[in-house]
Amino acid sequence: MDYSSEKPESFPFPLSITRDDFSASSDFDPDTFLYTKHRYTPLDSLLQDLTDLSKSLNQDLLDLVNNEHTNFIRLGQSIEGCMELMNNISLDVSKFDTTLTHTLESFLSSSTAAQKVLSHKKRLNLLKNKMKLILLLHDQCTSFDTLLGLDVGDVKADRLVTKLSTLATLFLSVSKIFAILMESVGETEEICVFFDKMVKPKVMTLKLEFKSYLDELLAVCTADTVTYGHLLLQLLHVLRVTGQTSAVLSNIKKRD
């Protein structure tokens, strides 16, 4: 604190320190207080005043305890009750935390189990759909073989058109389902014995039989274009749709 700029003042009469001096302001500052009111007071006098104030304060506290000992006892008992209550609450919170931890672990375990079940269910659904496709493919191959062997000697144009249309539809359906199943087998790397040993060879045979049937039908049409003109147009359309055009034309060139 800089006091060099203050003007000289007359020598004050020394004052004693009282208890009111400390309660006059909430922001009590010892340096300011001593300089303002007691800078000319001897140190012995200041020490004596402060000692007397300390003794007076201690006596007041002692009197307060003696006069209000019942209230102090009640206060102590209430504090003890609060401590017991706080301990009980702390124990309950600890138990709740333990229960919550166990519940969380149970939820995590249940979540893991549920994910495994869902994954297993998804896999079963994929296998189920795959088996349905395999059975459908087998049935269509059987239908193709049955239709191909029916009325072999019937060479009426309208009957041949109907037969060709049905066989082409079955061939396209079989080819599509077979491609889907082959992609599925490639992704999952699972082996179905029924598919590998029964259905797959049937599909391979079906493709060869259908190609051979188209060759025979083309020979019939080219031999009599007047009678089988409509059948020839239908046959060319089937060749284009099934992707057999180049193979059949190659066979025709070989015959020529």
Side-chain angles (χ1 to χ4, degrees):
M1 184 175 183
D2 186 11
Y3 305 107
S4 59
S5 61
E6 295 186 1
K7 297 179 180 180
E9 59 182 354
S10 59
F11 186 82
F13 186 79
L15 300 174
S16 298
I17 299 176
T18 64
R19 186 180 300 181
D20 294 336
D21 293 334
F22 297 98
S23 60
S25 176
S26 58
D27 54 348
F28 177 80
D29 181 59
D31 294 335
T32 303
F33 171 73
L34 291 175
Y35 178 79
T36 303
K37 296 184 178 182
H38 300 282
R39 64 179 178 274
Y40 299 112
T41 303
L43 290 178
D44 293 341
S45 178
L46 289 174
L47 182 60
Q48 184 62 44
D49 290 344
L50 292 174
T51 301
D52 292 341
L53 286 174
S54 177
K55 290 180 180 180
S56 176
L57 180 61
N58 290 334
Q59 185 62 44
D60 289 345
L61 290 175
L62 182 60
D63 293 341
L64 179 62
V65 172
N66 290 332
N67 296 331
E68 302 292 338
H69 67 281
T70 303
N71 292 332
F72 274 99
I73 293 174
R74 290 176 181 175
L75 178 61
Q77 291 176 346
S78 64
I79 292 176
E80 290 180 359
C82 291
M83 292 300 295
E84 183 179 358
L85 179 61
M86 291 175 63
N87 289 333
N88 292 335
I89 293 175
S90 177
L91 182 61
D92 291 340
V93 170
S94 178
K95 291 181 179 179
F96 177 75
D97 182 66
T98 302
T99 303
L100 189 62
T101 301
H102 291 162
T103 303
L104 179 60
E105 292 176 353
S106 178
F107 278 146
L108 292 176
S109 177
S110 299
S111 176
T112 302
Q115 290 178 357
K116 290 181 179 179
V117 170
L118 290 175
S119 178
H120 184 64
K121 182 179 179 181
K122 182 179 179 181
R123 182 172 175 272
L124 288 178
N125 286 334
L126 290 175
L127 290 175
K128 179 181 177 181
N129 293 333
K130 179 180 175 182
M131 291 307 301
K132 286 182 177 180
L133 286 177
I134 292 175
L135 292 176
L136 177 61
L137 183 60
H138 179 267
D139 291 342
Q140 290 188 352
C141 288
T142 302
S143 298
F144 183 92
D145 291 339
T146 302
L147 180 60
L148 188 64
L150 286 177
D151 301 327
V152 177
D154 191 351
V155 292
K156 293 180 181 179
D158 55 342
R159 296 293 299 273
L160 291 177
V161 168
T162 302
K163 185 175 182 178
L164 174 62
S165 177
T166 305
L167 288 175
T169 301
L170 288 172
F171 175 82
L172 291 174
S173 178
V174 167
S175 299
K176 183 63 176 178
I177 296 175
F178 182 74
I180 293 174
L181 288 173
M182 291 303 295
E183 290 179 1
S184 174
V185 171
E187 291 176 358
T188 59
E189 297 183 357
E190 294 180 354
I191 299 176
C192 176
V193 177
F194 178 70
F195 176 76
D196 291 337
K197 301 298 183 181
M198 296 291 295
V199 180
K200 189 174 181 180
K202 265 195 170 187
V203 174
M204 298 295 103
T205 302
L206 180 147
K207 290 183 177 182
L208 295 175
E209 290 178 345
F210 186 64
K211 182 177 179 301
S212 177
Y213 178 75
L214 294 179
D215 290 341
E216 294 175 1
L217 205 58
L218 183 61
V220 172
C221 293
T222 53
D224 188 356
T225 56
V226 176
T227 304
Y228 299 105
H230 179 64
L231 176 61
L232 180 60
L233 293 176
Q234 183 70 16
L235 177 60
L236 293 175
H237 175 69
V238 170
L239 290 173
R240 181 178 60 82
V241 172
T242 58
Q244 303 285 337
T245 304
S246 58
V248 173
L249 291 178
S250 177
N251 290 337
I252 293 176
K253 290 180 180 180
K254 289 180 181 179
R255 291 174 185 175
D256 295 340

